[in-house]
């Protein structure tokens, strides 16, 4: 249903995987897994970011069934439940704020002996009566009934002991990796691999290249935000094409 409106306006949808994009010359060159080669006057990048996982038993099996990375999205599904957050950064602290109004208890499990999160955020966690932080703790296995998470193994890397705990949800706050491997050199990335944007536009450091979604957004990570950025990127791209003399008649040729 989402494809049909785009196609009605002339969009061509191709089912293939892009293997490389060369922004060092113009028109830009795009190569795909099936051997196709395209030349583009302009490109919008929307490759997203991949959430980091723990790579433990049960994690993939219960992904979306109690294992998640989005407290904003899923907090209401755990009303009155016991959950854990895995991570020690600002994202973990923010998850506490999102989850606490709904869950019975939320425990932050930190692998090291301290958190990376800002001190002010850590102090705010203490204000929530149903929230706690435990250090030197690692989740090593996730159990369930086939439909939903029921328990986890928690390893204490200081005492070298493992405890099985009943739990209803596992929220991962261990970061994301932007999907930037197909990009050529010459396009600016920040220290974490996200695209660097120009001001409040969707324009990248390369003229004619725009981006939307998590490939350039390490903060919000919401579909509705990405959709809005997609609209902005399309408008920015249209302005660019008009500026270089492109019009509907040229496009029809």
């Amino acid at each position: 249903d989402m494809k049909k409106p785009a196609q009605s306006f002339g969009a061509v949808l191709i089912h293939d995987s892009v293997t490389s994009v060369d922004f060092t010359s113009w028109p830009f060159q795009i190569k795909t897994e099936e051997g196709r080669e395209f030349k583009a006057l302009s490109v919008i990048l929307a490759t997203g970011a991949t959430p980091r996982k723990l790579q433990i038993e049960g994690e993939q099996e219960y992904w979306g069934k109690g294992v998640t990375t989005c407290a904003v999205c899923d907090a209401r599904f755990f009303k009155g439940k016991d959950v854990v957050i895995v991570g020690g950064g600002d994202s973990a602290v923010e998850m506490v704020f999102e989850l606490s109004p709904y869950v019975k208890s939320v425990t932050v499990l930190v692998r090291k002996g301290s958190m990376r999160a800002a001190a002010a955020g850590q102090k705010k966690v203490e204000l929530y009566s149903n929230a706690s932080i435990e250090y030197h703790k690692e989740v090593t296995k996730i159990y369930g009934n086939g439909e939903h998470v029921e328990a986890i193994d928690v390893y204490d890397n200081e005492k070298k002991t493992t405890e099985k705990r009943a739990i209803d949800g596992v929220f991962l706050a261990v970061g994301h990796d932007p999907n930037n491997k197909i990009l050529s050199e010459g396009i600016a990335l920040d220290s974490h691999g996200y695209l660097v944007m120009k001001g409040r536009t969707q324009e990248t450091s390369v003229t004619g290249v725009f981006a939307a979604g998590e490939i350039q957004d390490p903060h919000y990570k919401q579909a509705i935000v990405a959709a809005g950025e997609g609209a902005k990127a399309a408008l920015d791209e249209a302005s660019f094409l008009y500026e270089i003399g492109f019009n509907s008649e040229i496009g029809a040729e």
Side-chain angles (χ1 to χ4, degrees):
D1 289 341
M2 294 179 69
K3 293 176 183 177
K4 288 177 182 177
Q7 290 174 315
S8 71
F9 284 98
V12 177
L13 305 181
I14 296 174
H15 296 278
D16 200 349
S17 296
V18 174
T19 55
S20 67
V21 183
D22 185 358
F23 295 133
T24 60
S25 61
W26 187 81
F28 307 121
Q29 297 182 40
I30 301 169
K31 294 183 179 180
T32 74
E33 198 172 69
E34 295 183 4
R36 294 184 175 96
E37 292 190 16
F38 297 92
K39 289 190 176 181
L41 298 177
S42 183
V43 173
I44 295 177
L45 298 169
T47 54
T50 301
R52 294 176 191 159
K53 297 181 179 179
L54 303 177
Q55 305 300 329
I56 59 174
E57 185 177 347
E59 180 180 43
Q60 190 59 41
E61 181 182 356
Y62 290 101
W63 191 261
K65 300 177 181 179
V67 181
T68 180
T69 61
C70 187
V72 174
C73 315
D74 297 333
R76 291 177 180 268
F77 295 117
F78 293 87
K79 189 172 183 179
K81 304 290 187 179
D82 297 305
V83 302
V84 296
I85 298 169
V86 181
D90 291 327
S91 294
V93 168
E94 291 171 5
M95 281 190 178
V96 172
F97 304 153
E98 295 291 342
L99 290 165
S100 288
Y102 301 99
V103 301
K104 179 181 178 182
S105 71
V106 52
T107 305
V108 182
L109 301 178
V110 184
R111 181 168 57 88
K112 298 182 178 180
S114 62
M115 296 187 74
R116 303 186 313 277
Q122 295 183 52
K123 288 183 179 179
K124 286 183 180 179
V125 172
E126 298 174 1
L127 300 177
Y128 290 86
S129 59
N130 63 341
S132 61
I133 302 173
E134 296 182 19
Y135 299 99
H136 298 290
K137 298 293 194 302
E138 302 176 43
V139 177
T140 56
K141 186 175 180 179
I142 298 171
Y143 302 87
N145 59 8
E147 298 294 328
H148 204 279
V149 170
E150 288 188 326
I152 55 174
D153 279 345
V154 179
Y155 175 67
D156 187 314
N157 58 38
E158 189 174 46
K159 298 178 180 178
K160 311 299 182 186
T161 57
T162 298
E163 169 197 4
K164 186 175 182 179
R165 296 188 189 182
I167 208 75
D168 301 297
V170 180
F171 287 78
L172 304 183
V174 291
H176 286 67
D177 292 313
N179 299 325
N180 59 22
K181 292 182 180 180
I182 65 169
L183 305 182
S184 65
E185 294 182 3
I187 190 165
L189 304 174
D190 67 15
S191 59
H192 298 289
Y194 290 90
L195 287 166
V196 175
M197 310 304 288
K198 290 185 178 179
R200 292 178 61 83
T201 72
Q202 299 307 127
E203 186 177 2
T204 69
S205 63
V206 177
T207 300
V209 180
F210 306 88
E214 291 183 28
I215 183 64
Q216 51 83 64
D217 172 25
H219 182 65
Y220 295 103
K221 302 184 184 71
Q222 296 295 308
I224 192 169
V225 175
E229 290 169 347
K232 288 171 59 182
L235 293 170
D236 287 345
E237 183 179 52
S239 296
F240 165 75
L241 291 172
Y242 295 147
E243 287 174 7
I244 64 173
F246 184 87
N247 56 43
S248 57
E249 292 182 4
I250 294 174
E253 295 177 3

